[in-house]
Amino acid sequence: ESTRSKLIRLLADAKESYISGQQLSEQLHISRTAIWKHMKELEKDGYVIEAKPKTGYRIKEYSGNVSSNTITWGLNTSWIGKEIIHKPTVTSTQFVAHQAARDNTPHGTVVIADEQSSGRGRMDRVWHSKKGKGVWMSIILRPKIPPYMAPQLTLMTATAIAEVLDQYDGLQPKIKWPNDILIQNKKVAGILTEMQAEQDRIQYVVVGIGLNVNQDNKEIPDAIHYRATSLKMETEKEWPIIDLVQQILEALEKEYESFLKKGFRDVKSKWENYGFRIGEKISLHSGSKKKEAVFLGIAEDGALLIESSNGETEKIYSAEIDWFVE
Ligand code: BTX
């Protein structure tokens, strides 16, 4: 853990009271001058720090700016986000994360940006990532699981995000298989999981999360208006991005640990609590074949489980799905 994040934790724990420079210097094993320099850095991040002669330091005002420091502040995780790479503008946080992963950045590293100039969805689709209006981040994981299980990480991530949003009244998030988070039938978040693997071993996985937070109606591109939304559009208020990032990282750490310990079963049942249109009729096409079926839920391996019109249960791994059948 860096000195900066230890300092942040000490100041955050002290809340309203002052901590002396002497005390900080002893606990962090750095000079008083070094502490003063750290304080100046925190001020650049938007914190208002009070330094009282002979008494010490305390935080007068917290910062709402997204930065590696402000996310670390009060983040209650043990390994996700111990390293945070924040950039104002990137092409895609996925791109930055892949690079960092190749440079051996640790398990749990988070890459986050205010804005993406070419945010990506699945299959080279575009992900609109307006400056300062959403959570655009990628998390590097190094799970010791076989590559075929990687798609389960997507379902796990979707579950964690749905759980965070579900804590707020009136959002009622749903997960559209495999990875869209919907509110009132409109997409509020998407997940893109990419992995680098050998035959039987994952080198690393990059889980990308895009969550629309503070866009107004007019800030959502016309072409996707009818199927995209933001937390602000749903609730008519601004949401604090830092808090959401912290809550997502905390939920993700918890889900990940339980996934490794207990396997996919637990994720599956939680996922199904939020499953969009479970028990209803959907229509599937792959190639020129088209059929209607009842959506039952997900299988033990994360596949889509359907009941065909002849009454047989079937697992589906990929198909174009039409979710609305009259
Ligand atoms: P997806 O392929 O399921 O969804 C992409 C589709 O969603 C687009 O074709 C478009 O119709 C629609 N769309 C585009 N932008 C938005 C938006 N902001 N809100 C709602 N709908 C939209 C989903 O892919 C995965 C998205 C992952 C995004 C994260 S952001 C951080 C990381 N970096 C990066 O480049 N991608 C990931």
Side-chain angles (χ1 to χ4, degrees):
E1 193 182 13
S2 71
T3 306
R4 178 70 55 79
S5 49
K6 279 189 206 149
L7 171 65
I8 284 174
R9 192 125 45 79
L10 288 170
L11 284 166
D13 288 347
K15 300 204 169 77
E16 305 285 283
S17 47
Y18 292 91
I19 316 183
S20 72
Q22 182 65 31
Q23 203 180 337
L24 290 172
S25 145
E26 278 166 19
Q27 297 206 22
L28 301 171
H29 310 290
I30 56 172
S31 71
R32 313 247 323 229
T33 320
I35 287 169
W36 183 81
K37 280 186 188 149
H38 278 293
M39 297 295 177
K40 290 287 142 204
E41 285 299 313
L42 290 175
E43 283 178 346
K44 278 192 208 149
D45 268 340
Y47 291 99
V48 180
I49 294 168
E50 202 174 6
K52 200 171 175 186
K54 301 207 181 71
T55 313
Y57 298 97
R58 69 169 187 162
I59 298 300
K60 231 173 115 185
E61 259 172 58
Y62 288 81
S63 169
N65 306 345
V66 173
S67 73
S68 141
N69 292 331
T70 56
I71 293 169
T72 300
W73 205 289
L75 176 65
N76 199 1
T77 58
S78 51
W79 52 270
I80 286 195
K82 287 293 121 169
E83 180 134 351
I84 297 170
I85 303 171
H86 168 260
K87 309 244 185 225
T89 303
V90 294
T91 49
S92 156
T93 56
Q94 292 294 100
F95 178 77
V96 177
H98 278 285
Q99 241 173 1
R102 284 194 294 271
D103 293 341
N104 292 320
T105 192
H107 176 61
T109 297
V110 173
V111 178
I112 183 162
D114 300 336
E115 169 182 46
Q116 303 187 108
S117 56
S118 35
R120 292 190 281 119
R122 292 171 304 153
M123 295 168 273
D124 280 330
R125 291 191 284 240
V126 169
W127 186 261
H128 300 284
S129 319
K130 198 171 168 54
K131 184 169 189 167
K133 297 288 173 174
V135 175
W136 324 125
M137 72 173 168
S138 301
I139 297 137
I140 298 163
L141 300 172
R142 301 183 182 279
K144 293 193 178 61
I145 56 172
Y148 75 83
M149 282 172 76
Q152 299 177 4
L153 293 171
T154 305
L155 300 168
M156 176 202 86
T157 305
T159 307
I161 296 171
E163 282 180 326
V164 168
L165 298 182
D166 199 27
Q167 292 168 12
Y168 298 95
D169 283 342
L171 293 183
Q172 290 178 303
K174 294 278 173 200
I175 310 172
K176 194 175 90 181
W177 186 83
N179 69 335
D180 288 341
I181 314 286
L182 309 181
I183 296 177
Q184 304 288 353
N185 296 347
K186 289 180 169 181
K187 181 140 84 177
V188 72
I191 299 156
L192 173 66
T193 310
E194 295 175 313
M195 91 173 145
Q196 189 65 39
E198 292 151 22
Q199 196 77 36
D200 53 0
R201 196 182 72 92
I202 293 180
Q203 282 168 349
Y204 67 83
V205 173
V206 176
V207 179
I209 298 174
L211 168 65
N212 299 331
V213 182
N214 286 326
Q215 290 102 327
D216 288 317
N217 217 6
K218 60 178 190 310
E219 290 166 325
I220 299 277
D222 285 345
I224 57 170
H225 235 199
Y226 66 102
R227 54 196 160 105
T229 190
S230 72
L231 297 181
K232 186 178 180 188
M233 282 157 67
E234 294 302 320
T235 58
E236 287 164 7
K237 67 173 177 102
E238 293 268 329
W239 288 65
I241 291 190
I242 297 167
D243 293 12
L244 287 165
V245 170
Q246 291 177 334
Q247 285 162 19
I248 292 171
L249 296 178
E250 286 162 13
L252 204 56
E253 182 174 287
K254 234 169 75 201
E255 284 303 325
Y256 182 87
E257 283 176 0
S258 125
F259 170 58
L260 288 196
K261 221 173 350 185
K262 300 190 218 151
F264 186 65
R265 283 192 93 86
D266 214 43
V267 176
K268 168 182 149 61
S269 67
K270 285 189 203 157
W271 190 98
E272 285 177 339
N273 285 337
Y274 298 107
F276 178 65
R277 292 188 82 81
I278 287 184
E280 294 179 57
K281 223 184 224 175
I282 58 176
S283 150
L284 304 106
H285 343 215
S286 73
S288 58
K289 277 189 261 168
K290 185 179 166 184
K291 69 171 174 186
E292 286 191 1
V294 176
F295 176 31
L296 297 177
I298 50 176
E300 294 298 331
D301 60 356
L304 186 82
L305 211 54
I306 56 162
E307 186 184 281
S308 304
S309 45
N310 61 10
E312 271 173 43
T313 305
E314 219 184 304
K315 279 194 204 177
I316 303 290
Y317 291 89
S318 76
E320 274 303 309
I321 298 165
D322 184 356
W323 294 92
F324 301 95
V325 178
E326 292 311 316

